[in-house]
Amino acid sequence: MRGPGVRAAAPGRIPVQGGTGAVISLRGAALSYGERVVWRDLELDVRPGEFVAVLGPNGAGKTSFVRALLGRQPLSAGTLTVLGRSPREAARQIGYVPQQAELSAQAMLRARDLVRFGIDGHRFGPRLRTGTVRRRVDEILESVGASAYADVPLGMLSGGERQRVRIGQALATDPRILLCDEPLLSLDLHHQRAVTELVDARRRSQGTAVVFVTHEINPVLGLVDRVLYLARAGHRVGAPKEVLTSASLSELYGTRVDVVRVRGRVVVVGAPEETAAPPHHAPAVEEVRS
């Protein structure tokens, strides 16, 4: 199922220039675990400066989509290119903000340590000069509003503070694509707003494409150019007003679903929560909320 092309940018947004080419391109893309088809026939181009929200119930393949973009999960069919190359070849130009997770071994790392890993954690051999890296780390922490707790262990930070630091780590390599996997989970409204503003500021100032996986559209509804809605019966791609409708979601779910708009918020009523687990031989990532 193919969605419409990129819609015109809203006032104040970075326009999507057709001549610059897509930074992410999927053609006939499909992903399966054994006999279980997660999604298929996916056609999508994401262009510089575009904000694409990825929505859908548990089990619809949102986390699998993220892993495919990162080059950690091969497609079962079709093609996927990132910046004109394979996802693995483009990995250093993708900033990745993962889901909130148990800190375990990271608990005693300071905020600045995590950001530094984003700068030179991938390097083999001599590391960058300490003074240069420290200045860069300080600049990044300031840009995401985390300077005040730069030397505080991650285990002592709130969920919202840790997400600021993770965004800083994701921005450390000056990425052309920012991939956010459920970055708003467990955050209150204040911290949700802070995180979304940081992400939007980056794409506005640098033309960075944003792929934002979320269970809740309302915190980013005013920022989104297009929606990719994944469901077990298929998918839809298009502007929020085209995808988030009663008719569209009812067709995707195969049952009556009502989409209600109240004071600028979208409420979906009657959608079944799909929690079907993948086959036992599927990769462990599918144990993560997807």
Side-chain angles (χ1 to χ4, degrees):
M1 286 169 280
R2 301 189 185 188
V6 179
R7 67 189 174 94
R13 292 190 184 165
I14 297 172
V16 178
Q17 303 295 335
T20 59
V23 293
I24 298 171
S25 184
L26 295 105
R27 290 290 178 271
L31 184 62
S32 302
Y33 295 120
E35 295 183 357
R36 181 195 170 213
V37 177
V38 183
W39 34 262
R40 62 168 56 135
D41 300 326
L42 180 53
E43 307 270 338
L44 178 66
D45 284 331
V46 180
R47 300 189 179 278
E50 189 174 16
F51 195 123
V52 177
V54 182
L55 306 175
N58 288 347
K62 299 190 301 298
T63 290
S64 295
F65 181 74
V66 169
R67 285 180 59 83
L69 295 183
L70 291 171
R72 300 176 184 175
Q73 178 65 53
L75 297 179
S76 304
T79 62
L80 164 61
T81 58
V82 178
L83 299 170
R85 294 169 283 169
S86 73
R88 283 189 177 274
E89 291 175 322
R92 287 298 298 165
Q93 292 184 284
I94 300 176
Y96 174 47
V97 182
Q99 295 183 17
Q100 293 268 26
E102 295 295 328
L103 289 174
S104 58
Q106 292 186 343
M108 296 311 296
L109 287 177
R110 299 171 301 170
R112 69 168 60 254
D113 297 329
L114 194 65
V115 172
R116 174 157 188 160
F117 287 158
I119 296 174
D120 63 6
H122 66 292
R123 293 177 180 272
F124 295 94
R127 302 181 76 182
L128 297 173
R129 296 183 61 175
T130 301
T132 301
V133 174
R134 185 179 181 88
R135 285 192 294 273
R136 176 62 178 151
V137 168
D138 287 341
E139 290 171 358
I140 293 169
L141 288 168
E142 182 177 3
S143 73
V144 298
S147 297
Y149 39 89
D151 295 300
V152 177
L154 296 175
M156 297 180 65
L157 300 180
S158 70
E161 290 170 338
R162 285 198 296 271
Q163 284 302 73
R164 283 181 179 269
V165 176
R166 289 190 176 106
I167 291 174
Q169 181 188 29
L171 298 180
T173 56
D174 194 24
R176 294 177 61 185
I177 299 167
L178 189 57
L179 180 55
C180 305
D181 186 12
E182 297 279 15
L184 306 182
L185 282 179
S186 304
L187 299 186
D188 59 27
L189 291 176
H190 171 74
H191 286 111
Q192 285 183 355
R193 187 176 303 111
V195 167
T196 56
E197 287 175 352
L198 284 173
V199 171
D200 190 50
R202 169 69 191 194
R203 68 101 172 216
R204 288 175 181 269
S205 64
Q206 303 297 323
T208 302
V210 175
V211 177
F212 198 99
V213 179
T214 180
H215 261 68
E216 174 57 62
I217 184 62
N218 288 302
V220 295
L221 186 59
L223 310 177
V224 171
D225 294 301
R226 285 189 298 162
V227 168
L228 166 60
Y229 202 107
L230 298 171
R232 294 292 292 278
H235 63 270
R236 289 285 187 278
V237 180
K241 66 181 180 181
E242 298 166 343
V243 175
L244 301 178
T245 68
S246 298
S248 176
L249 295 191
S250 294
E251 182 179 350
L252 276 180
Y253 283 103
T255 188
R256 177 67 185 180
V257 174
D258 292 313
V259 178
V260 181
R261 285 173 167 78
V262 182
R263 297 180 181 177
R265 294 178 61 84
V266 173
V267 180
V268 178
V269 182
E273 186 68 7
E274 303 174 43
T275 56
H280 62 84
H281 57 273
V285 64
E286 287 299 303
E287 297 174 5
V288 179
R289 188 176 184 183
S290 64

